[in-house]
Amino acid sequence: GESVGLHLPTLSVQEGDNSIINCAYSNSASDYFIWYKQESGKGPQFIIDIRSNMDKRQGQRVTVLLNKTVKHLSLQIAATQPGDSAVYFCAENKWGGKLIFGQGTELSVKP
Amino acid sequence: NAGVTQTPKFQVLKTGQSMTLQCAQDMNHEYMSWYRQDPGMGLRLIHYSVGAGITDQGEVPNGYNVSRSTTEDFPLRLLSAAPSQTSVYFCASSSSGTGDYEQYFGPGTRLTVT
């Protein structure tokens, strides 16, 4: 079946450094991905999305890269701050608002 | 504009009991869905709806029932609670429109079945 997965369950970075969180997917027909941030005790929060007609998309301090050849996407967070500490999920967005989530990477930011 | 609201925030059930988790959104979104999240896991889709009167199953539908009589509300029913249904439940809504897309999640209901 289809799957979306993350490479590392945890990531620890120093405050001010850049963070890179990776995600792989299995279905080459997948065409729309979303990155979510989930803080403890809260629901997932939309960060940024990317469609398959793009290789890169930038937001405020975040960049998502999509490599369709190897079915891989990454989330880059520039100048990581303590407030970025959370669990990050990539998800494939399918028709009807359906999301297929990966397992998540917990980002810890050391002061 | 409250976004997506869920009630209750916490619930403890005994095995075999039934209950309904409430979800409402005030953004006039066509799409609504229910997910469960187990410890250390991503969210898994239980049921979803693409409009009032239309529902369908997701990845893990067994033991749950849904209906959607209005655009705003999408309740999730547990028919006969089991310990395996102990989880955090999230409701989400999104628009089917073009342009910038975003899926909004509610704050979650933490359910424990003993």
Side-chain angles (χ1 to χ4, degrees), chain A residues 6-70:
Chain A
L6 282 164
H7 292 276
L8 289 175
T10 61
L11 177 65
S12 183
V13 301
Q14 206 70 37
E15 182 178 356
D17 287 351
N18 296 336
S19 303
I20 299 176
I21 301 171
N22 295 303
C23 185
Y25 60 96
S26 62
N27 186 356
S28 56
S30 300
D31 63 358
Y32 188 11
F33 298 93
I34 304 175
W35 281 98
Y36 286 92
K37 173 185 181 183
Q38 187 177 28
E39 296 173 304
S40 181
K42 296 185 178 180
Q45 180 184 4
F46 176 97
I47 302 173
I48 192 168
D49 61 353
I50 189 166
R51 297 182 188 270
S52 60
N53 60 354
M54 305 174 75
D55 298 323
K56 178 180 179 179
R57 192 167 190 209
Q58 289 183 288
Q60 190 174 17
R61 279 201 308 118
V62 295
T63 301
V64 55
L65 300 177
L66 177 62
N67 186 328
K68 296 177 284 294
T69 303
V70 296

Side-chain angles (χ1 to χ4, degrees), chain B:
Chain B
N1 190 330
V4 180
T5 58
Q6 291 184 239
T7 55
K9 287 194 185 324
F10 301 94
Q11 183 70 51
V12 179
L13 290 178
K14 294 189 188 309
T15 297
Q17 287 184 316
S18 62
M19 78 159 295
T20 299
L21 279 62
Q22 301 292 345
C23 174
Q25 53 94 7
D26 60 0
M27 297 170 282
N28 202 32
H29 284 165
E30 296 90 341
Y31 300 156
M32 296 186 74
S33 48
W34 276 101
Y35 297 83
R36 61 176 287 174
Q37 185 175 31
D38 300 316
M41 303 281 289
L43 284 70
R44 291 183 293 168
L45 180 65
I46 305 172
H47 284 286
Y48 69 101
S49 170
V50 298
I54 306 170
T55 64
D56 206 347
Q57 297 180 349
E59 301 171 71
V60 289
N62 292 341
Y64 307 95
N65 224 345
V66 292
S67 61
R68 188 148 176 225
S69 56
T70 66
T71 300
E72 295 78 19
D73 301 298
F74 191 41
L76 177 72
R77 297 182 192 84
L78 277 68
L79 309 172
S80 177
S84 60
Q85 294 179 303
T86 293
S87 191
V88 182
Y89 291 84
F90 291 100
C91 179
S93 76
S94 58
S95 171
S96 64
T98 56
D100 286 344
Y101 173 92
E102 194 165 331
Q103 176 144 168
Y104 296 86
F105 282 85
T109 294
R110 189 174 295 272
L111 176 68
T112 302
V113 182
T114 61

